[in-house]
Short mmCIF file of all heavy atoms in Angstrom, two decimals:
data_model
loop_
_atom_site.label_atom_id
_atom_site.label_comp_id
_atom_site.label_asym_id
_atom_site.label_seq_id
_atom_site.Cartn_x
_atom_site.Cartn_y
_atom_site.Cartn_z
N HIS A 756 89.75 -38.81 -15.72
CA HIS A 756 90.80 -37.82 -15.42
C HIS A 756 90.70 -36.67 -16.41
O HIS A 756 90.57 -36.86 -17.59
CB HIS A 756 92.18 -38.46 -15.46
CG HIS A 756 92.39 -39.65 -14.60
ND1 HIS A 756 92.63 -39.53 -13.24
CD2 HIS A 756 92.35 -41.00 -14.87
CE1 HIS A 756 92.76 -40.73 -12.70
NE2 HIS A 756 92.56 -41.64 -13.65
N VAL A 757 90.80 -35.41 -15.88
CA VAL A 757 90.75 -34.23 -16.66
C VAL A 757 92.02 -33.41 -16.36
O VAL A 757 92.35 -33.15 -15.17
CB VAL A 757 89.50 -33.40 -16.30
CG1 VAL A 757 89.47 -32.13 -17.17
CG2 VAL A 757 88.26 -34.22 -16.60
N SER A 758 92.70 -32.97 -17.38
CA SER A 758 93.92 -32.15 -17.27
C SER A 758 93.79 -30.89 -18.09
O SER A 758 93.14 -30.92 -19.14
CB SER A 758 95.15 -32.90 -17.63
OG SER A 758 95.11 -33.35 -19.00
N GLN A 759 94.43 -29.82 -17.63
CA GLN A 759 94.35 -28.52 -18.34
C GLN A 759 95.74 -27.91 -18.40
O GLN A 759 96.60 -28.23 -17.57
CB GLN A 759 93.40 -27.56 -17.58
CG GLN A 759 91.99 -28.04 -17.44
CD GLN A 759 91.12 -27.06 -16.67
OE1 GLN A 759 90.29 -27.51 -15.84
NE2 GLN A 759 91.32 -25.77 -16.91
N PRO A 760 95.96 -26.98 -19.33
CA PRO A 760 97.25 -26.28 -19.35
C PRO A 760 97.38 -25.34 -18.17
O PRO A 760 96.39 -24.93 -17.53
CB PRO A 760 97.24 -25.48 -20.69
CG PRO A 760 95.76 -25.35 -20.99
CD PRO A 760 95.14 -26.64 -20.47
N TYR A 761 98.62 -25.02 -17.82
CA TYR A 761 98.86 -24.17 -16.68
C TYR A 761 98.39 -22.73 -16.88
O TYR A 761 97.76 -22.15 -15.99
CB TYR A 761 100.34 -24.18 -16.34
CG TYR A 761 100.73 -23.20 -15.21
CD1 TYR A 761 100.37 -23.49 -13.89
CD2 TYR A 761 101.40 -21.99 -15.48
CE1 TYR A 761 100.71 -22.55 -12.89
CE2 TYR A 761 101.71 -21.09 -14.47
CZ TYR A 761 101.36 -21.40 -13.17
OH TYR A 761 101.71 -20.52 -12.19
N ARG A 762 98.63 -22.18 -18.13
CA ARG A 762 98.31 -20.76 -18.29
C ARG A 762 98.00 -20.55 -19.81
O ARG A 762 98.67 -21.11 -20.63
CB ARG A 762 99.50 -19.90 -17.85
CG ARG A 762 99.36 -18.40 -17.99
CD ARG A 762 100.56 -17.73 -17.42
NE ARG A 762 100.50 -16.25 -17.47
CZ ARG A 762 100.97 -15.52 -18.48
NH1 ARG A 762 101.63 -16.04 -19.44
NH2 ARG A 762 100.86 -14.20 -18.36
N VAL A 763 97.03 -19.70 -20.06
CA VAL A 763 96.78 -19.27 -21.40
C VAL A 763 96.53 -17.73 -21.41
O VAL A 763 96.12 -17.16 -20.37
CB VAL A 763 95.52 -20.02 -22.03
CG1 VAL A 763 95.81 -21.44 -22.26
CG2 VAL A 763 94.27 -19.75 -21.17
N VAL A 764 96.77 -17.10 -22.52
CA VAL A 764 96.62 -15.62 -22.67
C VAL A 764 95.61 -15.31 -23.68
O VAL A 764 95.67 -15.86 -24.80
CB VAL A 764 98.03 -14.98 -22.98
CG1 VAL A 764 97.86 -13.49 -23.18
CG2 VAL A 764 99.06 -15.32 -21.98
N GLY A 765 94.65 -14.49 -23.33
CA GLY A 765 93.61 -14.06 -24.26
C GLY A 765 93.91 -12.67 -24.83
O GLY A 765 94.72 -11.91 -24.29
N LYS A 766 93.22 -12.41 -25.92
CA LYS A 766 93.43 -11.14 -26.61
C LYS A 766 92.09 -10.64 -27.15
O LYS A 766 91.35 -11.45 -27.66
CB LYS A 766 94.45 -11.28 -27.72
CG LYS A 766 94.88 -9.94 -28.35
CD LYS A 766 95.94 -10.13 -29.41
CE LYS A 766 96.33 -8.79 -29.98
NZ LYS A 766 97.39 -8.96 -31.05
N GLU A 767 91.76 -9.42 -26.96
CA GLU A 767 90.51 -8.80 -27.39
C GLU A 767 89.29 -9.56 -26.85
O GLU A 767 88.28 -9.82 -27.55
CB GLU A 767 90.51 -8.70 -28.90
CG GLU A 767 91.54 -7.82 -29.52
CD GLU A 767 91.50 -7.77 -31.06
OE1 GLU A 767 90.67 -8.46 -31.63
OE2 GLU A 767 92.26 -6.98 -31.62
N GLY A 768 89.38 -9.98 -25.64
CA GLY A 768 88.21 -10.60 -24.96
C GLY A 768 88.01 -12.08 -25.28
O GLY A 768 87.08 -12.68 -24.84
N GLU A 769 88.91 -12.68 -26.08
CA GLU A 769 88.78 -14.08 -26.41
C GLU A 769 90.01 -14.87 -26.03
O GLU A 769 91.14 -14.37 -26.07
CB GLU A 769 88.56 -14.26 -27.93
CG GLU A 769 87.25 -13.72 -28.41
CD GLU A 769 86.99 -14.12 -29.86
OE1 GLU A 769 87.90 -14.62 -30.58
OE2 GLU A 769 85.88 -13.90 -30.38
N VAL A 770 89.75 -16.09 -25.59
CA VAL A 770 90.89 -16.99 -25.20
C VAL A 770 90.56 -18.44 -25.59
O VAL A 770 89.46 -18.90 -25.36
CB VAL A 770 91.17 -16.83 -23.71
CG1 VAL A 770 89.96 -17.23 -22.87
CG2 VAL A 770 92.34 -17.66 -23.22
#
Side-chain angles (χ1 to χ4, degrees):
H756 301 280
V757 179
S758 60
Q759 301 178 220
Y761 173 74
R762 182 174 182 264
V763 293
V764 179
K766 189 177 181 181
E767 295 181 357
E769 291 189 350
V770 60

